[in-house]
Amino acid sequence: MKKWQKITLKVLLGFSLTTTSIYLFAPWEYALYYLTPVPSFIEEQVNEATTQGIDGIIVYVQKANNPAQLYVSGWHNRQEKIPAYGNGLFKIASIAKLYEAAAVAKLAASKQLELDKSVADYLPHLTERIEYANRITLRMLVEHRSGIPNFTDQDGFDWASNSLDVFSLVLDKPADFKPGTDYAYSNTNYLLLENIMTEALGYHYSRYIKNEILLPLNLHSTFFSINEVDSEQLMSGYYVGYDQDFKHLDQGFVASAQDVGIFLRALNDGSLFTPTESKIYASMYEYNHTGWVLGYSSIARYHSDIDTVVIQFTNTTGEDRVILTGIIYDRIMSILRSQ
């Protein structure tokens, strides 16, 4: 098994850091860094991040009605010595689930999807290949309460593969639990939702997201694949201990920090939705998310106490960098709350 396949408990912690988790899970140098004085300004903290083992970082901050601010440091492309820049594109990984859950809410409000219908109803060819397919509802998929195994946890999954049929890793496997009885984060749930939306719409689900979410918000720097973008605009991604750039891997949504920030603000303040859509979304999914794929780590959160959206992109993963990125984010939040 490749080094980057061994995703540890630190990833599963969802970047949520406490003093206890720092002492339990962080290497000693990160624990010491966690206790060092926090700089007075975000620019200082972002520059400091690249001295701690991050190749490149982009931070977007948008408070209340104020203009957004972008902070960058390090490399957009380490090999070619191209400095990081604010509108560089980035693989946002599981942050994409917020867009997809929002699309499901909109489709449910318009009666194009029914949340209480089952996987078997929408994808009958999978009835015999996914345990409890006739009992797993769309709502359970959105909420990660389906019990369907997570394909990224299966033997044979390779983060560095562009050609792997990930569905084959979970089909005909026993469920982790009976539908609706427990919670377990599973990327397979959202892969199924993508297929269900496409089946119900009669065209690819990404077109719906573009028309109903991206264009109304004027988000023109959000894409569904690396194949839709100029590769030079895509920030490089690195894994500790490897020289290669992993940006060639097609791993889902690509976006600028500003586009993600605008979307997150609209998601949280409700302007993305009609009242009906908003009620449906609130009943089934969260409003903040993190993301991780090989070479790319991202955090997207709205902080209601200071009415601020903060997006953080870092392009270095491996060897506990997920802990480090959480520390950096927490330090940025300390600066913002002290202002």
Side-chain angles (χ1 to χ4, degrees):
M1 183 178 292
K2 294 182 176 64
K3 185 177 183 180
W4 50 75
Q5 289 177 265
K6 299 178 180 178
I7 307 308
T8 67
L9 176 60
K10 296 142 194 173
V11 174
L12 301 180
L13 286 172
F15 302 80
S16 177
L17 294 173
T18 64
T19 301
T20 301
S21 66
I22 289 293
Y23 285 119
L24 286 177
F25 300 115
W28 66 268
E29 62 267 31
Y30 292 169
L32 290 176
Y33 177 54
Y34 180 77
L35 296 173
T36 61
V38 176
S40 300
F41 301 100
I42 295 175
E43 294 95 329
E44 295 177 75
Q45 179 58 61
V46 170
N47 289 331
E48 195 177 273
T50 58
T51 70
Q52 295 294 320
I54 298 297
D55 287 287
I57 180 171
I58 301 172
V59 174
Y60 167 99
V61 177
Q62 195 275 311
K63 181 175 178 63
N65 296 318
N66 298 327
Q69 301 293 320
L70 281 163
Y71 306 89
V72 299
S73 187
W75 300 115
H76 176 83
N77 184 307
R78 186 176 68 196
Q79 289 90 341
E80 297 181 15
K81 304 301 181 185
I82 300 172
Y85 55 92
N87 61 347
L89 299 176
F90 197 87
K91 299 179 191 179
I92 65 172
S94 286
I95 292 172
K97 290 181 174 66
L98 296 177
Y99 299 73
E100 293 174 349
V104 171
K106 285 178 171 290
L107 288 166
S110 64
K111 308 299 183 184
Q112 291 173 272
L113 288 178
E114 294 185 35
L115 294 177
D116 292 326
K117 279 195 170 183
S118 71
V119 171
D121 290 328
Y122 285 102
L123 302 173
H125 63 286
L126 296 179
T127 301
E128 301 301 323
R129 307 205 65 188
I130 294 178
E131 190 173 16
Y132 305 118
N134 60 344
R135 291 169 52 184
I136 297 168
T137 66
L138 270 62
R139 182 183 295 277
M140 291 174 188
L141 293 177
V142 175
E143 295 177 341
H144 295 294
R145 294 180 60 80
S146 70
I148 300 172
N150 182 10
F151 65 79
T152 61
D153 293 336
Q154 305 306 306
D155 290 341
F157 178 76
D158 186 350
W159 286 101
S161 174
N162 249 343
S163 58
L164 185 65
D165 176 11
V166 295
F167 253 143
S168 67
L169 300 178
V170 296
L171 293 179
D172 307 313
K173 294 283 182 71
D176 291 338
F177 51 83
K178 291 183 179 179
T181 64
D182 204 347
Y183 170 93
Y185 187 91
S186 175
N187 290 294
T188 312
N189 291 326
Y190 278 73
L191 189 58
L192 286 166
L193 286 169
E194 292 168 9
N195 281 268
I196 288 168
M197 285 190 280
T198 295
E199 185 70 21
L201 288 164
Y203 56 84
H204 200 265
Y205 80 97
S206 62
R207 193 205 312 175
Y208 181 85
I209 290 178
K210 182 176 182 179
N211 291 337
E212 300 298 324
I213 296 176
L214 304 185
L215 292 180
L217 294 175
N218 292 313
L219 303 181
H220 300 292
S221 294
T222 302
F223 307 92
F224 301 95
S225 165
I226 63 168
N227 298 320
E228 300 176 19
V229 307
D230 180 347
S231 64
E232 292 185 0
Q233 295 178 22
L234 178 62
M235 198 175 197
S236 295
Y238 304 103
Y239 193 96
V240 177
Y242 293 83
D243 292 330
Q244 64 261 51
D245 182 346
F246 291 103
K247 74 176 181 179
H248 67 282
L249 297 172
D250 191 8
Q251 295 171 310
F253 282 41
V254 171
S256 68
Q258 177 167 288
D259 265 27
V260 176
I262 291 170
F263 165 77
L264 199 70
R265 167 72 68 177
L267 179 71
N268 278 270
D269 70 16
S271 59
L272 178 63
F273 297 127
T274 66
T276 299
E277 293 167 353
S278 185
K279 184 177 180 180
I280 292 171
Y281 187 91
S283 74
M284 63 183 187
Y285 208 55
E286 57 191 284
Y287 290 83
N288 303 295
H289 224 287
T290 58
W292 193 102
V293 290
L294 195 62
Y296 299 84
S297 179
S298 49
I299 303 174
R301 292 185 182 137
Y302 168 70
H303 301 270
S304 59
D305 59 320
I306 55 173
D307 191 15
T308 300
V309 170
V310 181
I311 311 298
Q312 178 179 288
F313 293 163
T314 53
N315 67 345
T316 313
T317 59
E319 292 203 359
D320 302 299
R321 290 305 188 274
V322 69
I323 293 286
L324 176 60
T325 57
I327 294 171
I328 293 166
Y329 191 93
D330 283 355
R331 289 164 69 88
I332 288 170
M333 290 311 305
S334 293
I335 296 168
L336 285 170
R337 290 195 169 100
S338 69
Q339 293 175 347

